[in-house]
Amino acid sequence: MKLSVIIPVYNEQENINSTISHIRKFGDCEIVVSDHNGETNKIIKDKDVIQVISPKGRASQLNNGALNSTGDLLLFLHADSILSKKFITEIENSLENYDVGAFKLEINDEMFMFRIIERVVSLRNKITKIPYGDQGIFCTRKVFYEIGHYENIPIMEDVQFMQKCKKNGLKLFLSNLPLKTSSRRWKKEGFLYTTLRNWTIISLYYLGIKPSFLKKFYK
């Protein structure tokens, strides 16, 4: 089975080459970089990467990346995420028995408060069965197209995708392999503000507030 790693990017010039190099260390897989404005694609050093220009919006980038990929298995990865060594084997093995999956969130920072966030996320996953995009959502190509892609909404497209999976009774695999995500947004905007803002947005989403309104609070 062939794995395609789809990376939506927007002004990720500082991270993209290291992310690609890191993936290459751990095995053979197709990499698709889906860019909105083309600036990131200009500096990609790996000639084997499939580079796609997509309409504005993460959902459009994810869908366009998938459309231009050729793998039987799809992994949707944030540009600042760091995968574990055995991620390819984990995806291949889990999708033999499950329909969709995600990795265990770790935040790439030693600050103690991030350990609390990680535990909250782990508990939330077990209760809601809805992991988020920063955990690296993966599925078969067949499932992705049957479930109807990512909805073209300005925010919460990952949550809505997983809600559709859950509604359709798909089997979810929650991996114990960590996927490390960057703490850069917390550092830039402040730990307390970023955490409270994120929790507020997701709470309002579940209360029925439209993503178009919620996008105003997330830049």
Side-chain angles (χ1 to χ4, degrees):
M1 300 286 277
K2 181 179 179 180
L3 172 66
S4 294
V5 180
I6 298 159
I7 310 173
V9 297
Y10 180 69
N11 292 336
E12 290 287 355
Q13 294 91 328
E14 294 183 6
N15 298 304
I16 192 62
N17 283 307
S18 60
T19 299
I20 292 169
S21 297
H22 183 79
I23 295 171
R24 292 290 190 220
K25 291 179 182 178
F26 297 149
D28 184 25
C29 60
E30 180 179 74
I31 299 177
V32 181
V33 174
S34 185
D35 194 357
H36 163 51
N37 62 6
E39 293 303 312
T40 299
N41 282 346
K42 291 178 182 178
I43 57 93
I44 290 177
K45 299 175 181 178
D46 191 319
K47 63 181 178 61
D48 293 322
V49 169
I50 298 174
Q51 301 180 40
V52 180
I53 301 296
S54 299
K56 186 178 181 179
R58 185 185 294 273
S60 295
Q61 290 176 264
L62 292 167
N63 290 331
N64 205 27
L67 180 65
N68 285 274
S69 68
T70 62
D72 309 290
L73 312 177
L74 306 176
L75 166 62
F76 300 96
L77 185 73
H78 287 188
D80 59 357
S81 294
I82 302 174
L83 289 158
S84 293
K85 183 177 181 179
K86 297 181 180 180
F87 81 95
I88 296 178
T89 302
E90 184 82 341
I91 292 173
E92 291 175 339
N93 291 343
S94 64
L95 291 182
E96 289 182 0
N97 300 301
Y98 293 84
D99 301 302
V100 61
F103 295 104
K104 179 182 178 182
L105 179 70
E106 286 190 3
I107 301 170
N108 196 17
D109 196 292
E110 296 181 357
M111 184 175 172
F112 173 73
M113 293 301 294
F114 288 122
R115 306 292 80 78
I116 297 176
I117 291 179
E118 292 167 356
R119 293 192 179 191
V120 169
V121 168
S122 180
L123 180 61
R124 181 201 70 204
N125 289 338
K126 292 177 182 178
I127 294 173
T128 67
K129 306 299 182 185
I130 298 178
Y132 296 174
D134 55 5
Q135 293 176 242
I137 294 172
F138 52 87
C139 61
T140 64
R141 175 177 294 277
K142 181 174 182 289
V143 162
F144 180 73
Y145 284 103
E146 285 181 350
I147 210 67
H149 312 75
Y150 286 94
E151 293 292 332
N152 191 21
I153 53 179
I155 194 173
M156 309 304 291
E157 76 288 332
D158 51 348
V159 176
Q160 192 169 96
F161 180 79
M162 292 308 305
Q163 285 179 315
K164 289 194 295 183
C165 290
K166 184 177 180 179
K167 183 178 180 180
N168 283 273
L170 300 188
K171 294 172 64 179
L172 171 67
F173 177 75
L174 294 173
S175 174
N176 285 321
L177 276 185
L179 185 151
K180 292 187 177 182
T181 192
S182 173
S183 63
R184 61 180 177 173
R185 186 175 286 273
W186 281 281
K187 288 183 175 180
K188 180 180 178 180
E189 301 178 352
F191 176 85
L192 184 60
Y193 170 80
T194 303
T195 302
L196 292 177
R197 189 270 315 277
N198 291 349
W199 289 353
T200 299
I201 288 175
I202 188 63
S203 298
L204 291 174
Y205 172 78
Y206 280 119
L207 288 173
I209 304 300
K210 293 182 178 181
S212 56
F213 177 80
L214 297 176
K215 177 64 176 178
K216 299 176 183 179
F217 303 99
Y218 191 89
K219 298 180 180 181

